[in-house]
Amino acid sequence: MSQRMGQPEGDRSARVLVVDDDPTVAEVVAGYLDRAGYLVDRADDGPAALARAAAHWPDLVVLDLMLPGMDGLEVCRRMRKRGPVPVVMLTARGDEDDRILGLEVGADDYVTKPFSPRELVLRVESVLRRTRPAAVAAHPLSAAGLTLDPAARRAAKNGTELGLTLREFDLLAFFLRNPARAYSREDLMREVWGWDFGDLSTVTVHVRRLRGKVEDDPARPRLIRTVWGVGYRFDPNGTGLTAEGEAG
């Protein structure tokens, strides 16, 4: 984890829903979050999580991927249909495909089990910090038919509102503020996620998801370009050759 995040700084107005069928894990996580200053709700399965969210909509969900009956991916999908909510997903160590699936359905971050509860609290604080308007420049941004209002956390393409997750929004804001310059995935992880190191597939998946929402043809991106041997560049003019053969 990035040392720039410092100590956990919970906000008593922030409500976190912890969803895990292991009572020991749920109790430990809830205890650490409570001591860090968050209001904590708990649920031990998918239906209970959806019911708790309906009763008190959370500011963030800590969601176990492997739940009985309804798994975490389905819970995430159903919650996202109701409204935007940041999700930190808990996954088993080594299950890379599951982590990628979690990011694909809109999880903003994930932590692999076994994990340090303090690290999880830091991740929660990092994600919640990104929901605050002060995390990005206050003035509206626009380019290539895209408009973004950081204060309202709203983005549109050619006048049609985009349904962006927390990280997709921040990633687009960063590209709009920094056009025509190539950034590595390490750069993007540091500048957008606030981490000095981590799993770079997180960046790859979010770039792919963002392309799917802002590009006319995501298979041949003209705005968010892959730069061979470097990373990505936002080209507001949408000109030049698209990099070929690069999965990221």
Side-chain angles (χ1 to χ4, degrees):
M1 285 298 301
S2 168
Q3 295 301 312
R4 291 164 49 191
M5 281 192 262
Q7 298 298 317
E9 298 176 358
D11 180 350
R12 279 291 176 187
S13 66
R15 182 180 296 273
V16 178
L17 174 59
V18 177
V19 187
D20 198 305
D21 64 321
D22 185 326
T24 300
V25 172
E27 182 176 356
V28 170
V29 169
Y32 269 79
L33 289 169
D34 179 72
R35 287 191 291 274
Y38 297 102
L39 297 172
V40 182
D41 289 332
R42 286 173 53 179
D44 58 9
D45 60 28
L50 296 175
R52 293 293 294 174
H56 300 284
W57 190 251
D59 296 292
L60 181 141
V61 181
V62 176
L63 180 61
D64 187 21
L65 178 66
M66 300 301 295
L67 293 171
M70 182 189 302
D71 65 20
L73 296 177
E74 182 61 24
V75 174
C76 187
R77 289 190 188 99
R78 294 194 185 192
M79 284 190 175
R80 283 282 163 76
K81 287 182 179 179
R82 288 199 55 192
V85 59
V87 173
V88 176
M89 194 161 281
L90 305 180
T91 70
R93 185 176 302 278
D95 292 343
E96 182 176 358
D97 290 343
D98 288 339
R99 293 199 299 270
I100 296 299
L101 280 174
L103 294 172
E104 289 283 10
V105 299
D108 299 285
D109 194 4
Y110 67 84
V111 176
T112 56
K113 293 182 178 182
F115 57 85
S116 160
R118 182 177 179 277
E119 176 187 358
L120 177 59
V121 173
L122 288 171
R123 296 269 188 161
V124 167
E125 168 61 22
S126 174
V127 171
L128 283 173
R129 192 181 311 165
R130 290 284 171 176
T131 69
R132 301 164 191 162
V136 291
H139 61 276
L141 304 166
S142 63
L146 300 169
T147 58
L148 184 144
D149 184 344
R153 302 288 300 184
R154 299 180 70 175
K157 176 182 177 181
N158 298 325
T160 300
E161 188 161 357
L162 298 171
L164 302 181
T165 67
L166 172 70
R167 294 299 190 189
E168 291 165 2
F169 185 94
D170 292 340
L171 186 59
L172 179 58
F174 182 81
F175 280 136
L176 288 172
R177 291 197 306 270
N178 300 278
R181 175 179 171 183
Y183 289 92
S184 67
R185 290 189 297 172
E186 291 87 351
D187 291 334
L188 293 172
M189 178 162 283
R190 182 174 58 253
E191 298 297 332
V192 178
W193 276 257
W195 309 341
D196 289 329
F197 60 89
D199 185 349
L200 296 180
S201 66
T202 299
V203 177
T204 305
V205 171
H206 279 81
V207 168
R208 183 165 65 246
R209 285 178 55 85
L210 183 58
R211 280 172 167 167
K213 297 177 180 181
V214 304
E215 298 281 359
D216 292 332
D217 181 1
R220 296 182 61 82
R222 298 180 62 82
L223 297 175
I224 303 175
R225 302 303 187 89
T226 297
V227 180
W228 280 99
V230 180
Y232 304 102
R233 182 186 70 244
F234 179 69
D235 182 359
N237 297 317
T239 59
L241 295 175
T242 301
E244 297 179 354
E246 173 63 56

